Amino acid sequence: MKVDFWQLSRDPVETVVALIAQRVLGEGERLLVVSKNAEQRELISRALWKAGPESFLANGEADAPGAVKQPILLSAETGAANTASHVIFADGEYRDPTGFARAFLLFDEETVQAARDTWKSLDQGDGLERAFFRQDGGKWVKVA
């Protein structure tokens, strides 16, 4: 399993979620976006619908009718009715990503210490591959 840590500095969380979502769906995979904050999930949903000039990224709340058919689900919990293989923790809180092939932890200045603690706690994880990304002049760069 892969766990990617993305440090937000310039772009808001909804912009970064849309960027990652485009890549995940481009690989033919499904995605779950987790945030306890309902307002944040709404902002993310709007950003996904407006992701590109020629396309949009269809999404819905996990408890809505038809959730199983959605390529991207938004939820406060880690259960993926859409059988997502990738999960984004958009609110900066890491959860157990068992059952997912790849997890993305998005964090900012408010949640940086929790992200550091999580990075350290995963140090001994068997079969776990970690990566750390941050923005450099707007471009995302892998630094660890």
Side-chain angles (χ1 to χ4, degrees):
M1 168 193 284
K2 293 181 179 182
V3 179
D4 291 346
F5 290 72
W6 287 51
Q7 185 173 13
L8 306 178
S9 59
R10 190 190 91 168
D11 293 337
V13 67
E14 60 271 15
T15 300
V16 177
V17 168
L19 173 74
I20 294 170
Q22 286 175 324
R23 292 179 183 173
V24 170
L25 269 59
E27 295 171 357
E29 302 293 338
R30 288 180 170 228
L31 178 66
L32 175 67
V33 180
V34 180
S35 174
K36 287 183 181 177
N37 184 320
E39 289 177 25
Q40 184 181 53
R41 290 195 313 271
E42 178 60 30
L43 285 172
I44 291 168
S45 178
R46 278 189 248 139
L48 291 169
W49 283 109
K50 299 175 184 177
E54 295 121 22
S55 67
F56 60 90
L57 299 171
N59 67 89
E61 284 283 335
D63 59 356
V68 71
K69 297 178 183 179
Q70 292 289 355
I72 302 170
L73 280 183
L74 304 162
S75 179
E77 309 284 327
T78 56
N82 66 346
T83 63
S85 58
H86 292 59
V87 61
I88 297 174
F89 302 122
D91 58 6
E93 182 181 326
Y94 187 77
R95 293 129 172 115
D96 179 10
T98 299
F100 295 96
R102 191 169 193 174
F104 301 85
L105 176 63
L106 308 184
F107 64 97
D108 58 17
E109 285 302 315
E110 291 180 20
T111 55
V112 69
Q113 188 56 53
R116 286 180 183 142
D117 294 343
T118 299
W119 179 274
K120 290 176 189 173
S121 74
L122 298 176
D123 204 22
Q124 304 302 320
D126 286 339
L128 187 73
E129 182 182 328
R130 297 174 302 175
F132 172 60
F133 296 84
R134 72 172 150 222
Q135 283 183 301
D136 182 13
K139 182 178 175 184
W140 286 95
V141 178
K142 183 176 179 180
V143 293

